[in-house]
Structure formats: structure tokens, C-alpha cells
Amino acid sequence: ADLDVLAVAMQGASACVLLLAFRDGRNLGTRAFFPKTNGEDSAAEVLAAFVSQYYAEQPPPAEIVLDRDIPERELIEKALAGRIDEGQAGRKVELRINVRGERAAHLDLVRRNAELALATELTSSSAQQARVDGLRDLLGLAEPPKRIECFDISHTMGEATVASCVVFDAQGPVRNQYRRYNIPTGGSTGIEPGDDYAAMHQALARRFRPTAEGEPDIVLPDVLLIDGGAGQVAQARAVLQEQGVTGVVLVGVAKGPERKAGAETLLLPDGREVEPGAASPALQLVQQVRD
């Protein structure tokens, strides 16, 4: 068969479209494309734009399998029919979104490879450095942060409360330094079930107490991200003051009203609340750490 298989993966304003091509039944391999977006595009809109632009320059096969429906699919089909190679006049171009069997297996492979290619692109050294530099500029730091820590609280219906800490350096995640803090609830030493503020306070106190007690070789973060709004940030600020920790830039990451990626509000140390937008390299780094 002559067909192309396309899938799109997105994270924030970053997108990857992966193309798997077959011609005369031969697998020609895959290509990854990283189209620019305006930060508001949906995955379907990105894929529709890619199909329209890519096949404006490349003769399309008669069959193109897509991992999702796209806006104006029928109109694009008609436009692409005029782009088929000479000698095949009258053939239609079919954009297919519901496939089975072998084509479904190809589509699943392309989906997974699109996600992998995007993850690789986002963690590449040049892209990572751009995001670190962007965060430096946003926070007004003299130098790019060398160590970023992010804390988040999770629980199940108020029970099994856990605080998680992830660590990033300038190159990306430092997974062997991730930490998980089990937070006891009830009793004389536990917090009230569902009290995320108390859980955050306890987790941060356990994290920074060794510094206050003068233990050697304790490394402090340059930037401390708190996954939460003003209340959680207030708890973090109180802990830093109680433990006598200085030189740590505290930033809150508040989700937007629709909890949409790219719409987060950052609570900065100087009291400002900013919405950098999905296209901001600084917010992309914050999202990467928070996620």
C-alpha cells in the first residue's frame, strides 16, 4: 500500500508530529517534526495545520491515517486530491481516523514514538538550557538556577497523605535525589486528614531541618517550587523563616481555573502574580518539574 501514518504529541506549547511512510508496500521509516504553535492550539489543530502544509510540498499518498479527527477534514481531503502524483488523476485522498488491524498497530507505534520524540526534544541540552535561562530572566536571578526542587501534596480522600519532592539541575531531572515523605494523620503527632497546608509545613520542615541543625553537606535549592496557591506558599515561607534558611527563591505554581496546561499563575517572591503563557520557556521548565 501507499499510505502515511501520522500522530501528534503535545506538552504545553511544544508539539511533535511523527510520520511513518509506506510506498509500494515498503516501510520508509519515520520522521519527527516539531512545528511551532501559538500556545493555544489543540493537538487536532496542530495536526490539521501540519497536514495542510506538509502535503502542500509533498505529493500525498492515497491514504493518510491520523491519530485523531481534525478540523475541516473533508475540505482538506478535497484539497489534497489535487496534489496526487501525475498519472494518478481522479484518485482520492482519504484521511482515515478509525482503523483496525495492521493499520491500528502502526498507529499505536507512531503515537508512542511521537510522545518519546517529544520527551527527548524537551530534555535535549539546548532546549533545557533555554528554559533554565528563561526562568532566570523571569525571576530576575543573577545566574541560572543550578538546583530546583518542587514539593506537592497528595492524598486519597484525606487519607494516606504523601508529600513528594522532585529535583532538577541544569541538565534535567536528578531522579536519585527525589524524595517521598509519608505524612501521618490523626493521633497526637499526626495532622488532620485532608489538611494540605499542615502536610506541606511538615514536609518542608523535615526537608530543611538538617540545614538549621548545621548538618554538613546539605545542599539547598536555588529555586523552591510549591505546587499550590498563596496558602501553600505561605506555609513554605513560614518554614524557611523558622529554619533560618536564606538564599532560596520561593515560587508558587497555581493552576488556572480550568486546570489547563499553560494557564498556570506563578506567585513570585516579590508578591507579583504572573501568567507567562504556554509559549514561555520559563513556564515550560516549571511545568516539566511540576509534572
Side-chain angles (χ1 to χ4, degrees):
D2 287 346
L3 80 150
D4 287 346
V5 184
L6 290 165
V8 59
M10 290 193 69
Q11 182 174 326
S14 300
C16 173
V17 176
L18 199 86
L19 167 67
L20 170 62
F22 293 87
R23 294 297 182 270
D24 297 323
R26 292 185 300 115
N27 184 337
L28 303 185
T30 62
R31 288 184 64 190
F33 301 85
F34 301 94
K36 293 185 181 297
T37 73
N38 64 16
E40 297 295 330
D41 296 326
S42 67
E45 291 169 337
V46 170
L47 187 57
F50 177 85
V51 169
S52 300
Q53 295 172 27
Y54 180 76
Y55 294 110
E57 301 176 359
Q58 304 289 335
E63 182 182 354
I64 301 173
V65 176
L66 306 177
D67 75 326
R68 69 197 67 219
D69 201 1
I70 60 175
E72 300 183 326
R73 176 163 52 93
E74 294 181 358
L75 181 61
I76 294 174
E77 281 181 335
K78 293 177 181 178
L80 294 185
R83 291 286 306 155
I84 289 185
D85 284 334
E86 294 181 10
Q88 297 181 329
R91 287 186 59 187
K92 298 191 331 184
V93 173
E94 185 179 8
L95 299 178
R96 301 184 61 187
I97 55 173
N98 295 311
V99 292
R100 297 180 179 179
E102 191 174 26
R103 283 167 172 73
H106 292 320
L107 187 57
D108 183 60
L109 174 67
V110 171
R111 280 197 189 104
R112 288 186 280 115
N113 283 347
E115 294 173 356
L116 179 61
L118 180 59
T120 301
E121 174 70 11
L122 290 176
T123 55
S124 68
S125 58
S126 59
Q128 188 71 10
Q129 187 61 51
R131 289 190 288 272
V132 172
D133 290 342
L135 186 61
R136 173 202 61 196
D137 296 341
L138 179 66
L139 299 180
L141 304 178
E143 298 180 353
K146 296 182 176 63
R147 183 184 177 93
I148 301 171
E149 295 184 12
C150 181
F151 276 77
D152 185 26
I153 303 296
S154 63
H155 54 75
T156 303
M157 302 295 290
E159 301 296 333
T161 302
V162 174
S164 301
C165 171
V166 301
V167 180
F168 271 55
D169 61 16
Q171 284 70 50
V174 187
R175 292 186 172 85
N176 64 351
Q177 296 186 30
Y178 287 12
R179 293 292 180 267
R180 180 176 292 135
Y181 301 86
N182 292 319
I183 308 296
T185 56
S188 58
T189 60
I191 66 170
E192 289 294 324
D195 189 346
D196 288 355
Y197 291 165
M200 180 66 76
H201 194 284
Q202 184 181 132
L204 291 171
R206 288 161 62 180
R207 161 66 180 93
F208 292 108
R209 187 174 295 123
T211 302
E213 295 174 350
E215 290 191 20
D217 303 323
I218 299 298
V219 180
L220 293 177
D222 300 302
V223 175
L224 175 61
L225 299 177
I226 301 297
D227 190 2
Q232 292 285 40
V233 172
Q235 293 295 324
R237 185 177 295 109
V239 170
L240 295 179
Q241 292 173 349
E242 292 166 4
Q243 304 295 336
V245 176
T246 60
V248 175
V249 178
L250 179 62
V251 179
V253 186
K255 301 178 179 66
E258 299 180 358
R259 305 177 74 86
K260 179 181 177 182
E264 293 88 348
T265 298
L266 300 185
L267 286 63
L268 303 186
D270 60 9
R272 288 184 298 139
E273 297 184 5
V274 299
E275 297 180 8
S280 164
L283 184 60
Q284 291 169 13
L285 175 58
V286 169
Q287 288 176 314
Q288 184 183 8
V289 178
R290 190 272 316 277
D291 291 346

